[in-house]
């Protein structure tokens, strides 16, 4: 059947980037690969970032933005705290 690996392939398991091989792609028997050999197939592996990486990046950006906001507001805060901004 199209779009399914051949029956002699191993039992299904959680897919990982390591599964993306030339033979794996050829086993799907797609019409475009009808007469293709392993030399004709180009495989490339990509992997989405992990949750840990995403947390690190979001945390870094959040802290950086917070520090920039604090740097901009600090002079205003200090002047207000000293009583420099009084209502007229």
């Amino acid at each position: 059947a199209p779009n399914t690996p051949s029956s002699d392939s191993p039992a299904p398991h959680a897919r990982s980037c390591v599964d993306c091989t030339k033979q794996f792609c050829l086993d799907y028997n797609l019409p475009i690969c009808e007469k293709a050999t392993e030399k004709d197939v180009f495989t490339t592996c990509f992997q989405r970032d992990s949750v840990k990486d995403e947390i690190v990046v979001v945390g870094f950006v959040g802290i950086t933005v917070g520090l920039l906001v604090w740097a901009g507001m600090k002079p205003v805060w200090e002047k207000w705290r000293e009583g420099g901004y009084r209502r007229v």
Side-chain angles (χ1 to χ4, degrees):
N3 298 332
T4 59
S6 64
S7 60
D8 60 348
S9 62
H13 64 284
R15 299 276 183 221
S16 73
C17 193
V18 190
D19 293 326
C20 187
T21 63
K22 292 179 180 187
Q23 190 58 49
F24 177 80
C25 292
L26 290 172
D27 285 345
Y28 268 86
N29 300 321
L30 296 174
I32 196 169
C33 299
E34 192 173 317
K35 296 177 183 175
T37 64
E38 282 197 35
K39 287 190 258 181
D40 302 323
V41 178
F42 175 76
T43 58
T44 184
C45 194
F46 72 93
Q47 195 169 6
R48 299 199 186 276
D49 292 335
S50 68
V51 175
K52 179 181 141 189
D53 292 341
E54 192 172 328
I55 290 170
V56 168
V57 170
V58 170
F60 175 78
V61 170
I63 290 169
T64 302
V65 168
L67 289 171
L68 287 171
V69 168
W70 175 248
M73 295 298 296
K74 187 176 178 185
V76 175
W77 169 260
E78 288 177 348
K79 188 161 179 129
W80 176 79
R81 204 175 80 210
E82 292 171 1
Y85 290 118
R86 294 194 176 145
R87 292 185 181 187
V88 180

